[in-house]
Amino acid sequence: MDKYLSQKNENLEKELETNFEEGLTSEQVEDRLQKYGRNELPQGKVTPWYLIFLKTLTQPIQIILIIAAIISVIAPLISNHWEVHFEVFIDFMVIISIVLIDGILETVQEVKARKSMDALKEISKPKAVVIRNDGQQEIDAGELVVGDIVVLEAGKYIPAELKIIEASDLMIDESILTGESVPVEKIDTPLAKTTQILAEMKNIAFMSTVVTAGRAIGVVIKTGKDTEIGKIATSINENDESHTPLEKKFNRFTMIIALISFLIGIAIFLTLFVSGDQKAWANHLMVAITLAIGVIPECLAAIISITLSFSTKRMATENVIVKKLQAVETLGSVNVICTDKTGTLTQNKMTVQKIIINNQIIDGKKYSLEKKDEHADYFLKSLVLCNDSVTEGLERIGDPTELALVDFAESMGYDEQDARDEWKRIDEIPFDSERKMMTTVNNINGVNTTFTKGALDQLLKHCTKIMVNNTVRTITQADKDSLLEIANKLSDDALRVLAFAYNTSYDVEPDQDDLEHDLTFIAGVAMIDPVRESAVNAVKQAHDAGVKVVMITGDHAVTALAIAKELDIAHSMNEVMSSERLNSLSDDELYQIIEQINVFARVNPEHKVRIVDAFQRRGNITSMTGDGVNDAPSLTKADIGVAMGITGTDVAKQAADIILTDDNFETIIKGVNEGRNVYQKIKRAVTFVIGVNMANVISIFVLSALNSVSPVEATNILWMNLIVESLIAISMGMGANDNSLMKVKPIKGKNPLFRGIWWSMIKITMFTSIASIAAWYFGMGFVNTQVIESALSQAGYNEAQVSEILIRNNHGWYQIFKDHNVLISAKVIIGNFGRTAMFIAITCGPCGYANLIKLSQWQTSKKINIIVNKPLWICSMGALGLNIIVIFVPGLNTSILNLIPLTEYQTAWYLIPVSLAIAAAPTFIILALDGIVFVTYHYFPDPKRRNQMLVAEMIKSDKLLAEKKRKKAKAKKQKEEAEANK
């Protein structure tokens, strides 16, 4: 780049082998396209869908499930001496189906997010006006090559890196690259010295920046990946993809569960082998492996994917595109949001708020309703005639400040196009950063009239008169002092002041040197990019949720603080840090004070990475919003990068995890709420699944140790895990969101998956285990001598053998279970009554208490917040119905699930209702305990918490008092302004 800065045009023309007058020929263009490729930004590696799918199968939980599926086939084959039956593969098919469903869901979501991004890119493909073959034509910007001659005008995107060879009042907005919000003036002359600072390269136009004013011709010196924006895009593409907090937690959780299941499998096998029949080791191994698999929540991966998928659909309707499923949960864990001001917290549209006229301040809306007079006529003419911006339909071209003036004039019935057609511009002096003024000469009904606008302090130096109440008189020093005092007052409120003057004393067309002399001051305007009304409420929601909102802006500290006050982000300069101070601090010094800063002003893009890093070092989950190319590093660095869908560049969208299609801060807060609910729903599912699984393992382990025989068969556990448990757990993620979660501060630092769920999990495990054991013994109470004789006969024993076994074991089923000489098959049949009762308990019990697992913060209010999860209720009732039905289905109940046949219910008719009552017991016990805890917490707090509540109440009272004072001061100020206007 250095060689182009100081190079003369004639030398550059030779080096690039082009012609500045005629442009390149078609043959040259074709050759250079072949040599250098299209003028497009480098894209990240697009992973094919099938590789995305295969990648999902390599996640730890999926690998364990695949291994479990294989073992589920091998174990029964060993126990059945390698006899192959269809039932052997049922477990395998169901587990593999869950693995495949989970992989498909993740793949579909990632592909959909990619398509959404592609759609955003297609919205506005840039065009370029070039000179080729000695003629002007418009082409796709991707077809540009080095040496092309590009014509620029206001409103056009810079399609490639250009060296300016001709320029007329050229102003370019380089904010997406440098972060500087004010358009930069560009020149067409060589620089005296080279520089590495982009902002100082005054004769270079950078790709993807925007022309706000003027015209120019440039020659393409770099395209695609060689441009500044291309270099950043390349560096982003080379970054390794990091794991989200949810992925890290889930991977740790998987490892823990894998270890637990392995240890449980060994423990159960050894228990059965030592206490039972050692000859039946294959059967013991099958039971141990089945229970070890039972600990693994094989449905959990699908639950997480389905829950996240439902949430991403909801977020899409709220203008949020989620590129990766796990990013939803990360957004919910955020406790610091670093956000740009312009366009996110504000409307990104300068608006006239106040009018300075007749030496007083008048509200802009009030002035627009007043009757027009001569004074107003001159004022409105100055707004639209001394102005280069254009508005036509939805198209808005020009400097934001000038567009605001046109908008205000239009609100008072002045159309800039009609005005300019009627009162032609004769001459002009463009805006100059040193003069800080702009002047035009227009023919107003045959009179050459100058209109000048500029900074108030500069304009007043050229004014000799002032118009007050439609009367022109000599301006006094008191007038000037009063106007400057008004301007300072408005500037303190972050308003940008612009003043206007005119002169009609020219009989003939004047010389340019005289255009800005002997002016008459007309009026001034005070403008601001207004705060979004939704942003004020969103910031309040964030604060209520314990999320710190940090505003990052290129504005001066005073302006930034004024906006921050309106948003309730900051209230004193102690909470504001400028780039100068930031540069003076080391990383350790910034780390020490970062928590006290709420606003960063005059910030450069490289500062954002330091800010994010400092917050992360303090243990915060940090989000960063951005739209420019320069934001890409900080978006990548943040735990969750949020890009703007409307104003955002492709590079920013590529670096981000989430894209807002409406560029609204309120949408981020909606995403936080969704993320918190997602994590809570996942934790509910984990609580339910692990609690039920552990209850099954404990009850089976205890009964196996006591009786030397497994109380249930593998098919019973399979039905429980894959039909009942999965059906209920998956529906947990489909319910409505709980907004009470936005009243609780997020946990800072590590937030393990098991935090806050231990008590709920212990309740489920303990009460379900007790109910399951009780149900089994209740069922075994129906076993009498007749049942034992029938079971032994079915197992192949003759009458003599049956009689001998009964006598040897005193006709008791317990003694027979301990008898190693009795076949396992006989013991299985004898245990049918206990197995049936326990089956009802372990499958029907969860259908009730699944609806009581409420991890939302009931501590936040004394009011019981009941949220009905319709899908969960439907699935619970459906699962309950299936459990009852399966008991009465011939063949399925006896041959597969090893339950008692229908004929037994003639005498054991009350087995089902009593077993259902036992199954319901945990639900009622948990409900009673939760009620006691709720009442105790809110109405009988312990002394320590009572003191905490008093302190919290005092802090809340102080905040309300401070808020009242702020509102009172604001109302007083508005009243004073109203009285001054009168």
Side-chain angles (χ1 to χ4, degrees), residues 55-68:
K55 185 180 176 183
T56 65
L57 302 184
T58 62
Q59 295 173 3
I61 190 73
Q62 307 293 50
I63 292 173
I64 291 174
L65 288 176
I66 291 170
I67 294 172

Side-chain angles (χ1 to χ4, degrees), residues 319 339-349 529-539 563 566-567 644 646-647 660-667:
N319 300 310
T339 176
D340 283 338
K341 173 184 73 71
T342 304
T344 308
L345 296 172
T346 63
Q347 297 176 17
N348 195 21
K349 180 183 177 183
D529 181 6
V531 169
R532 289 179 185 256
E533 290 184 14
S534 60
V536 177
N537 182 53
V539 170
I563 296 292
E566 196 170 346
L567 290 160
M644 302 298 113
I646 299 174
T647 59
L660 307 182
T661 58
D662 63 352
D663 293 11
N664 194 338
F665 182 78
E666 185 181 30
T667 306

Side-chain angles (χ1 to χ4, degrees), residues 874-920:
I874 292 170
C875 288
S876 297
M877 293 301 101
L880 183 63
L882 283 173
N883 296 332
I884 301 299
I885 291 170
V886 77
I887 294 172
F888 298 102
V889 177
L892 182 61
N893 58 357
T894 54
S895 301
I896 296 178
L897 295 174
N898 291 304
L899 306 178
I900 61 174
L902 297 177
T903 55
E904 296 291 351
Y905 291 110
Q906 294 175 1
T907 55
W909 61 267
Y910 59 92
L911 183 145
I912 293 177
V914 174
S915 297
L916 285 172
I918 295 172

Side-chain angles (χ1 to χ4, degrees), residues 229-257:
I229 188 174
K231 292 174 185 175
I232 298 175
T234 301
S235 67
I236 295 300
N237 293 337
E238 292 172 352
N239 285 341
D240 293 330
E241 188 176 358
S242 59
H243 291 293
T244 66
L246 179 61
E247 288 175 311
K248 294 174 184 176
K249 292 170 191 173
F250 193 50
N251 288 341
R252 283 195 297 269
F253 169 75
T254 302
M255 297 303 178
I256 293 170
I257 290 298

Side-chain angles (χ1 to χ4, degrees), residues 717-877:
I717 298 298
L718 177 64
W719 177 274
M720 172 66 218
N721 285 359
L722 303 181
I723 305 299
V724 179
E725 191 175 85
S726 299
L727 190 64
I728 294 174
I730 288 173
S731 64
M732 284 182 172
M734 300 179 184
N737 284 344
D738 180 5
N739 293 328
S740 72
L741 294 175
M742 291 299 285
K743 299 292 183 182
V744 183
K745 291 185 178 180
I747 296 169
K748 191 173 180 179
K750 292 184 178 179
N751 183 12
L753 194 61
F754 286 102
R755 185 192 293 272
I757 69 174
W758 284 109
W759 173 233
S760 295
M761 205 155 54
I762 288 170
K763 284 188 295 184
I764 291 172
T765 301
M766 182 170 60
F767 298 130
T768 305
S769 298
I770 294 171
S772 299
I773 293 170
W776 191 83
Y777 277 110
F778 165 72
M780 292 305 293
F782 289 90
V783 177
N784 51 34
T785 301
Q786 185 180 355
V787 171
I788 295 173
E789 288 177 348
S790 175
L792 292 172
S793 298
Q794 289 181 54
Y797 290 104
N798 57 39
E799 289 186 14
Q801 291 172 322
V802 169
S803 178
E804 189 272 329
I805 292 172
L806 286 172
I807 295 170
R808 188 173 69 234
N809 293 290
N810 296 319
H811 294 255
W813 59 263
Y814 179 76
Q815 289 84 352
I816 291 175
F817 278 5
K818 290 290 187 179
D819 190 341
H820 295 172
N821 294 315
V822 178
L823 293 173
I824 286 289
S825 59
K827 294 177 182 179
V828 169
I829 299 171
I830 293 171
N832 281 351
F833 277 95
R835 187 176 303 108
T836 302
M838 187 173 176
F839 176 80
I840 293 172
I842 65 174
T843 58
C844 296
C847 298
Y849 57 70
N851 295 275
L852 300 179
I853 305 172
K854 184 171 174 57
L855 300 172
S856 55
Q857 302 304 319
W858 48 267
Q859 298 101 325
T860 58
S861 173
K862 293 181 180 180
K863 182 181 178 182
I864 298 176
N865 183 25
I866 298 176
I867 297 176
V868 178
N869 185 341
K870 290 183 181 179
L872 178 57
W873 275 104
I874 292 170
C875 288
S876 297
M877 293 301 101

